[in-house]
Amino acid sequence: MSRLLAVFSVFSVVAVAVLYYAAVDTLNTLSPQGCRMSWMWPSYVLQSRFDRSWTPLARRYSLWLYREGNLENNELHGSPVLFIPGNAGSSHQVRSIASSAANQYFSGPYQVSPEFANKEYEALDFFAVEFNEDLSAFHGPTIDAQTAFTSRAVDYILSLYPPNKSIIVTGHSMGGIIATALLPNPNISAVITMSSPHTLPPVRFDRRIDHIYADNLKDLESDPTPILSLCGGATDLMIPSESCILPSSLKTNTSVYRRTVFTSALEGCWTGVGHLAMVWCHQVRWRIARAALEVAAVDSLDARAAALDRWLRDGHALPPVHIPSGLLELHLGEYDTVPPNQHLLVRDPVGTRSYLLPLPNPEEGVTSRFVLYASKGSIPPVGPQRPLPFRATVYICTASETVNCSALEPGTLKLIPSPVPGAPFPVPDEGTDESEGVVLYEADIPPGAYSHIAVKVDDGDRRGWIFGGFVDGASIVEDVRLANLLLSSVWLPVPNGVRTEIRLPGLPANALLVYRATPRYHPESSCSADAPLLPLLTHTSHPSETHYYPLAPTFPRRILLHSHASAPYIASEHPVGHKLTVHSSGECWVTEIELTLDWWGSIGRWGTRYWAAAVCWGVGIMGIVLWDVWGLVEGGAAIPDVRSSLEFFARRRLPWLVLSSYFVSLLPLRVGLWLGNGGTPAFAPLAMVLLPIAFGLVSIMWWLLLVLLWPLRLVLRRLARRREEVIARRPMATLLSMGLIFLVIFILVPWQVAFLGCWLIHFYTCAASLADLSLARSQYPSGAEAVPLVALSAASESADSPTSPGGPDDGERQSTASRLPLLQKEANAHLHFLLIMTWLLPLVAPVLAVWVRTLATAGFTTPFDGDHNFLYVAPFLVLVEALSGSDSGRYIRVLFEKKGRLSPRWCFAALAVVAFFLGPRTTYYVFETASAAIGWGVLARIGPLYWGWRSSLRRN
């Protein structure tokens, strides 16, 4: 390998290593996971009556009923819930959520918990489908098969219950896509998905998956069934969490319930959750189980939506349950008055007491917004799962001889975390306890003749605290742009107060960017654990996504702000804008926040979103390489070796492509094209980095192929391989064998398996060609060297002729010296085709994995719903067969040198355009275009010679 190609190879290896380690590091730095492990007593009951009489797929898949062994028997006793596992998932993943539902409903064996005993609740019967860990993410027909089986499973489950019974459907990962595909179904009461990629398929090698997503989008827009999507955030490295957000187009139809909740915002959870951990993370699973218990107890769509909103809240909307209202009349001695311009602080409240705070004077420049915090207690109806007894209620009052008050309706009422000083947040393997949290209450003061805010505290037992005061209702708006943060930082001032809101409307909120926030403290501030509320930063960039970060110096972890509001290949209504809110009781005063771009965190986000682009751009590079090779040969040059072709590309094409890629990235293309950034200037340099990486990967692949070919070449040379004579080849036998292969593809195996066979045959052909060349060189040491990218002389062209002037029947063997250019040309052509076929392998490998997995888990007699359209692979079959014989020189010469109206080189130019522009988002177009390009060369160039010449031989 030349020094130039070695440089690009090393660059790609280093770049891929950096992207990989930066991505893995996000698990610990960007959004660490704090989940408690769940425990259960699992028991699974096979539903043997759900057999082939219900669906033919019952011989491939199965249905199971979960039972908590120490609490339930095997009899059905409640409302059905169906769990659908995801890609390579198992029915046993239902155990965590099902166990939590049983332990919440039952206090002992067959004993209903007092919380549910006197209400319209029923126990839940959790069913789960078993897909034998099929790889559904890679294959549309597998999703279709699983959807058909699950649909019949729903029918079977409901047949076990009285009429008019409905079922709750939960799905993990791709199971959520199957759950959505079951709609419309009037018997499904609600759908809860976990880490499901609703807007963008994680693997886009099969166009039928896109069709499934398009059909699901129609159901999401119109079906009235409540759907809630739980997303794990940056901790989920298996799917980009921006694809977990339900499509923004659904907001046009407000009559249907659609919610997206990030676990970092989920009240009581407040942590990123990994893809697989989503089904067992205790802080998530018990809330899903409780929501299912509530949904099963009501009948109306509104009540079901309210149940989901109550138990899977992220605080972006007011709670769906009743907020206390009414009047309060206070007399002297029944309340305490807080001095003007001071905050309310009540530690360890006792009994019942009211507190009056005078409204600030308008001339003091303080707009009317009241903020109240209650630690571990409740501000009805919001509180921790296990709150302290005290309750706080807020009223707005007019003062005369008596104080007359009415309830003040909040604008914000939610639970926020209360990190423990000195401990990481979230605590690894523990997270947050159900009794932890601070209730945040915010309300704008309405205009009128009001004088005070009253806070009434009931049932204090000397635990907890209450803190509140007035804040400026206006946000601090800072004009911060990405350009300000690339090589420097920006300091954001933070006034000392109960609550400070800073808006950054011009800063991109994209999954490719991570920002680092560093607080600076007042020198006289006290950040001890005695402060009621140490500074807490709330970061919001999307209506469904919020992250919490403790700002006190006792928390050592870096504060990395990230977002999934917008991302490559996904249309977004929130491409820019961040909101930072600092909550504090004031003792630990954060005076400024330094904001800068975190390069390591940002790099960690690139690789997981552009791996498909790297593969497709590698195919595009090979398309340009073959376009150059065809042009050179048609212009009179010989076919160069692969190394020379790659060097020519690196010196002559790559610099211009890198430069032009920047300007293409600035075009306002739709999000499905190019790198999916819609012309955002900030992301234009990514293409300039990705192109050299892709080319380096092509060079590495070429080196690996040479290493793999080397031992086979030595073996074939030692065996002195002889090519079969042309006269021994029978066209009719070839036609019959090709027809038989097409029939096998049409009936039994996917065409992807046939492509792998083509690659293996051509790999052998390349090794044999190199062995012949090596053997010829050993017999003629001064033989031909690698053919450069220059035109050959007339003598060289004459030497390149495949036969002597006497023709094939004169019986004379070519001299070793005259055969060398021919063998070199054949080897070069073979290796060019091998390299591009190798780059096409990753585009078909997922379906090969699905096929092998299906045969291994479901049996060799199980029909495989693969792609049996042999036209996809037919051009490669004919090409490989034509190039595998001793007469391949003729086909190589006519393929590359024959003149025609439309040269195959332009088909490879089209392949490059498709690979660069369409491939990263719709990857399946790349192989289809490559097949069409090879097909045109086979039809226009090889076909006439193939059948005409062989037929003449047969007549002779």
Side-chain angles (χ1 to χ4, degrees):
M1 183 177 292
S2 71
R3 183 176 300 177
L4 179 62
L5 299 185
V7 169
F8 279 104
S9 299
V10 171
F11 170 76
S12 292
V13 169
V14 173
V16 170
V18 169
L19 290 169
Y20 173 78
Y21 285 108
V24 172
D25 195 45
T26 60
L27 292 174
N28 300 318
T29 59
L30 192 60
S31 182
Q33 178 175 288
C35 283
R36 263 175 290 160
M37 180 61 70
S38 54
W39 304 95
M40 67 288 301
W41 192 328
S43 175
Y44 306 93
V45 182
L46 176 64
Q47 301 301 291
S48 56
R49 289 188 294 172
F50 183 57
D51 53 20
R52 296 179 64 183
S53 64
W54 284 87
T55 172
L57 291 167
R59 68 193 299 252
R60 177 176 174 182
Y61 302 136
S62 56
L63 179 67
W64 297 79
L65 171 67
Y66 177 88
R67 279 295 178 250
E68 189 71 3
N70 62 333
L71 296 177
E72 304 172 285
N73 56 33
N74 292 343
E75 300 297 326
L76 299 179
H77 51 216
S79 297
V81 180
L82 178 62
F83 174 80
I84 307 173
N87 179 67
S90 168
S91 60
H92 289 190
Q93 290 175 301
V94 71
R95 61 186 181 269
S96 297
I97 299 173
S99 173
S100 179
N103 280 278
Q104 291 183 60
Y105 187 80
F106 295 102
S107 59
Y110 319 118
Q111 295 180 357
V112 179
S113 174
E115 185 178 2
F116 301 99
N118 299 321
K119 299 179 182 179
E120 298 296 326
Y121 291 99
E122 292 181 311
L124 299 179
D125 299 320
F126 271 86
F127 294 84
V129 288
E130 175 56 63
F131 293 142
N132 299 319
E133 300 182 0
D134 274 0
L135 304 175
S136 56
F138 303 128
H139 196 225
T142 298
I143 297 178
D144 289 332
Q146 293 179 355
T147 303
F149 177 83
T150 306
S151 178
R152 295 299 291 153
V154 169
D155 296 338
Y156 168 78
I157 293 170
L158 292 177
S159 71
L160 306 177
Y161 293 85
N164 301 323
K165 198 71 171 179
S166 60
I167 185 172
I168 302 170
V169 179
T170 63
H172 174 248
S173 188
M174 295 303 292
I177 306 304
I178 296 171
T180 308
L182 295 176
L183 303 175
N185 189 327
N187 296 317
I188 297 178
S189 57
V191 174
I192 302 174
T193 66
M194 298 162 278
S195 299
S196 297
H198 287 286
T199 55
L200 184 69
V203 182
R204 302 176 288 276
F205 296 157
D206 189 343
R207 68 164 53 243
R208 286 155 299 187
I209 293 182
D210 264 352
H211 293 162
I212 293 171
Y213 270 68
D215 293 338
N216 279 5
L217 180 59
K218 298 176 183 178
D219 296 333
L220 288 171
E221 290 176 340
S222 59
D223 190 84
T225 306
I227 301 176
L228 185 141
S229 174
L230 278 171
C231 308
T235 314
D236 189 344
L237 294 183
M238 290 193 180
I239 68 162
S241 279
E242 59 269 15
S243 66
C244 180
I245 301 175
L246 291 173
S248 57
S249 60
L250 303 182
K251 296 181 179 180
T252 59
N253 187 356
T254 58
S255 63
V256 296
Y257 176 90
R258 302 291 182 262
R259 290 287 188 276
T260 301
V261 178
F262 277 80
T263 56
S264 60
L266 180 62
E267 292 186 356
C269 183
W270 303 308
T271 177
V273 177
H275 192 76
L276 298 178
M278 183 65 78
V279 295
W280 61 256
C281 180
H282 174 71
Q283 292 93 320
V284 177
R285 63 132 184 181
W286 82 260
R287 286 174 171 81
I288 296 176
R290 182 56 187 265
L293 283 166
E294 299 282 350
V295 170
V298 294
D299 296 326
S300 68
L301 292 176
D302 291 339
R304 292 165 180 169
L308 293 174
D309 271 343
R310 180 182 179 185
W311 293 102
L312 296 169
R313 289 195 70 231
D314 58 7
H316 288 102
L318 291 176
V321 293
H322 175 69
I323 297 176
S325 61
L327 301 177
L328 176 67
E329 185 174 315
L330 298 174
H331 302 275
L332 289 175
E334 297 178 347
Y335 57 86
D336 295 329
T337 303
V338 179
N341 301 322
Q342 292 191 17
H343 301 313
L344 169 67
L345 176 59
V346 181
R347 293 180 183 269
D348 305 325
V350 180
T352 299
R353 191 66 178 172
S354 297
Y355 303 89
L356 289 185
L357 291 84
L359 295 177
N361 295 324
E363 59 269 18
E364 295 180 3
V366 180
T367 55
S368 51
R369 174 172 293 181
F370 181 70
V371 178
L372 184 69
Y373 303 96
S375 174
K376 298 186 179 181
S378 61
I379 301 178
V382 174
Q385 175 62 16
R386 300 183 185 132
L388 297 178
F390 81 84
R391 306 180 309 278
T393 311
V394 181
Y395 299 86
I396 188 166
C397 310
T398 57
S400 55
E401 294 182 359
T402 61
V403 179
N404 299 309
C405 307
S406 59
L408 179 61
E409 184 175 352
T412 300
L413 184 57
K414 65 178 182 178
L415 195 67
I416 62 175
S418 179
V420 179
F425 178 79
V427 180
D429 302 324
E430 287 294 331
T432 305
D433 185 79
E434 282 80 0
S435 62
E436 297 177 3
V438 175
V439 181
L440 168 64
Y441 171 101
E442 295 182 15
D444 291 331
I445 307 301
Y450 299 108
S451 59
H452 292 80
I453 289 290
V455 178
K456 184 182 179 183
V457 181
D458 296 295
D459 300 330
D461 66 345
R462 298 185 182 277
R463 290 183 296 170
W465 53 259
I466 300 167
F467 176 78
F470 297 96
V471 299
D472 189 344
S475 303
I476 300 174
V477 180
E478 296 286 344
D479 185 18
V480 178
R481 307 288 175 172
L482 181 60
N484 305 129
L485 307 179
L486 291 177
L487 300 176
S488 62
S489 59
V490 172
W491 289 92
L492 307 175
V494 181
N496 193 17
V498 176
R499 172 191 174 277
T500 302
E501 181 177 290
I502 304 172
R503 291 186 177 271
L504 309 172
L507 192 63
N510 194 285
L512 299 176
L513 299 173
V514 176
Y515 306 100
R516 185 171 65 251
T518 306
R520 176 182 291 180
Y521 309 94
H522 193 277
E524 298 180 1
S525 63
S526 174
C527 298
S528 66
D530 295 332
L533 182 62
L534 291 173
L536 179 71
L537 176 64
T538 302
H539 171 228
T540 303
S541 58
H542 186 276
S544 300
E545 184 177 14
T546 295
H547 302 272
Y548 297 96
Y549 306 91
L551 293 179
T554 54
F555 298 96
R557 185 169 67 89
R558 292 185 303 161
I559 300 172
L560 300 179
L561 310 179
H562 58 284
S563 172
H564 298 90
S566 62
Y569 314 118
I570 296 178
S572 173
E573 296 179 354
H574 310 277
V576 295
H578 296 259
K579 182 176 73 172
L580 306 179
T581 306
V582 179
H583 306 277
S584 174
S585 57
E587 293 86 352
C588 184
W589 181 10
V590 176
T591 59
E592 292 179 310
I593 295 178
E594 181 187 16
L595 191 66
T596 187
L597 182 68
D598 190 85
W599 283 100
W600 182 250
S602 299
I603 291 173
R605 310 277 274 171
W606 299 348
T608 56
R609 288 157 178 82
Y610 284 133
W611 61 269
V615 174
C616 293
W617 283 21
V619 177
I621 288 171
M622 282 306 305
I624 296 176
V625 167
L626 287 175
W627 182 80
D628 280 330
V629 169
W630 240 285
L632 289 167
V633 175
E634 289 179 352
I639 301 176
D641 63 4
V642 176
R643 188 193 68 178
S644 300
S645 298
L646 294 179
E647 287 182 344
F648 181 83
F649 178 90
R651 288 189 169 93
R652 301 288 296 273
R653 303 296 184 215
L654 187 58
W656 288 105
L657 285 174
V658 170
L659 181 62
S660 60
S661 68
Y662 176 81
F663 295 101
V664 172
S665 300
L666 297 177
L667 299 176
L669 305 173
R670 62 180 178 88
V671 293
L673 296 177
W674 195 244
L675 293 183
N677 292 314
T680 304
F683 304 121
L686 289 177
M688 304 176 70
V689 176
L690 185 59
L691 258 174
I693 293 176
F695 177 72
L697 293 176
V698 172
S699 302
I700 293 172
M701 185 63 71
W702 165 238
W703 181 80
L704 290 176
L705 285 175
L706 290 181
V707 172
L708 294 174
L709 287 167
W710 178 73
L712 183 58
R713 176 177 64 87
L714 291 182
V715 171
L716 293 176
R717 178 181 175 181
R718 189 172 296 274
L719 295 177
R721 171 188 178 272
R722 297 285 183 179
R723 293 199 177 195
E724 59 182 335
E725 295 296 331
V726 178
I727 194 65
R729 304 289 294 275
R730 298 180 179 179
M732 185 55 65
T734 301
L735 178 62
L736 292 176
S737 63
M738 195 70 67
L740 179 61
I741 293 175
F742 291 161
L743 182 63
V744 171
I745 296 172
F746 185 75
I747 297 177
L748 294 178
V749 301
W751 61 261
Q752 292 88 348
V753 176
F755 181 80
L756 177 61
C758 288
W759 185 88
L760 292 173
I761 293 172
H762 195 63
F763 183 85
Y764 176 84
T765 300
C766 291
S769 180
L770 290 174
D772 288 347
L773 180 62
S774 176
L775 184 62
R777 283 176 173 173
S778 65
Q779 296 173 357
Y780 188 75
S782 59
E785 298 179 354
V787 183
L789 290 173
V790 295
L792 295 178
S793 63
S796 299
E797 290 291 338
S798 176
D800 196 41
S801 176
T803 60
S804 61
D809 297 327
D810 63 359
E812 297 182 3
R813 181 181 297 271
Q814 293 177 316
S815 66
T816 302
S818 63
R819 290 182 60 232
L820 279 175
L822 171 63
L823 294 175
Q824 180 74 66
K825 183 174 72 171
E826 290 182 11
N828 293 343
H830 291 157
L831 292 172
H832 276 92
F833 285 120
L834 178 65
L835 185 54
I836 192 171
M837 290 176 66
T838 303
W839 269 102
L840 291 173
L841 265 182
L843 307 185
V844 301
V847 176
L848 293 174
V850 173
W851 185 66
V852 173
R853 182 69 184 176
T854 301
L855 295 181
T857 59
F860 290 92
T861 60
T862 300
F864 180 72
D865 297 326
D867 194 336
H868 300 286
N869 186 355
F870 59 83
L871 295 179
Y872 278 105
V873 75
F876 295 98
L877 287 169
V878 176
L879 176 69
V880 167
E881 198 281 331
L883 299 184
S884 62
S886 61
D887 56 340
S888 63
R890 287 179 174 271
Y891 297 105
I892 291 173
R893 188 172 68 254
V894 74
L895 184 63
F896 283 92
E897 300 176 7
K898 182 180 177 181
K899 303 296 183 180
R901 289 187 175 181
L902 180 60
S903 170
R905 71 186 296 245
W906 295 107
C907 296
F908 285 96
L911 171 62
V913 172
V914 170
F916 280 112
F917 283 89
L918 296 177
R921 168 57 184 88
T922 49
T923 312
Y924 46 83
Y925 280 135
V926 177
F927 189 93
E928 294 172 1
T929 307
S931 180
I934 296 293
W936 175 251
V938 168
L939 288 175
R941 299 288 178 86
I942 291 182
L945 175 63
Y946 187 80
W947 298 113
W949 183 61
R950 291 185 184 272
S951 299
S952 65
L953 286 177
R954 184 178 60 182
R955 290 193 299 269
N956 292 338

